[in-house]
Amino acid sequence: MRIETFGKDVEVTPALQEYVETKLQRLGKHFDQHCEVRVTLALRKNEHHVDASANVPGQTLHAEAGGQTMYAAIDILADKLDRLVIKHKEKKQQHAPLPVGDNDD
């Protein structure tokens, strides 16, 4: 799993980058294949804002979150992305084709 962290009017400190990577590592547990996440940290007026795009097999998932602190916003974002990934996997499993068996009756 590859995580890229960018700052928009915010300096991405090593501590923030490590926190983002730690929180988003749990997304990698849902997939056997490689996935990529791009996270943007920003300040909007008096709120810390985080958005992320996760390229997972078959789709790109997007989530945004805001909070009083950057760490709180990252926590909310990680929860949202986790729910999106689980929902994506459930939909994928529901639409999986049925196995074709040999019916030589």
Side-chain angles (χ1 to χ4, degrees), residues 35-53:
C35 60
E36 184 176 310
V37 182
R38 293 178 54 97
V39 180
T40 305
L41 311 175
L43 288 174
R44 292 190 179 167
K45 296 189 180 177
N46 294 334
E47 184 180 59
H48 293 82
H49 186 80
V50 182
D51 65 15
S53 295

Side-chain angles (χ1 to χ4, degrees), residues 81-92:
L81 273 178
D82 196 42
R83 286 192 304 266
L84 282 173
V85 166
I86 291 169
K87 190 174 181 180
H88 170 72
K89 282 189 71 171
E90 287 173 355
K91 282 183 182 180
K92 198 172 178 183

Side-chain angles (χ1 to χ4, degrees), residues 73-84:
I74 293 167
D75 288 341
I76 294 168
L77 177 83
D79 291 340
K80 283 184 178 182
L81 273 178
D82 196 42
R83 286 192 304 266
L84 282 173

Side-chain angles (χ1 to χ4, degrees), residues 4-101:
E4 295 178 357
T5 307
F6 301 97
K8 193 173 188 182
D9 299 329
V10 174
E11 182 184 346
V12 180
T13 63
L16 273 176
Q17 186 164 355
E18 183 179 332
Y19 193 75
V20 169
E21 290 176 6
T22 302
K23 284 297 191 173
L24 297 183
Q25 283 301 321
R26 65 182 174 181
L27 298 179
K29 295 177 185 176
H30 297 293
F31 295 105
D32 296 332
Q33 301 172 352
H34 176 76
C35 60
E36 184 176 310
V37 182
R38 293 178 54 97
V39 180
T40 305
L41 311 175
L43 288 174
R44 292 190 179 167
K45 296 189 180 177
N46 294 334
E47 184 180 59
H48 293 82
H49 186 80
V50 182
D51 65 15
S53 295
N55 293 325
V56 296
Q59 193 174 2
T60 299
L61 306 174
H62 183 80
E64 297 182 19
Q68 293 289 331
T69 66
M70 194 60 76
Y71 292 101
I74 293 167
D75 288 341
I76 294 168
L77 177 83
D79 291 340
K80 283 184 178 182
L81 273 178
D82 196 42
R83 286 192 304 266
L84 282 173
V85 166
I86 291 169
K87 190 174 181 180
H88 170 72
K89 282 189 71 171
E90 287 173 355
K91 282 183 182 180
K92 198 172 178 183
Q93 288 174 352
Q94 288 175 356
H95 294 112
L98 296 174
V100 178

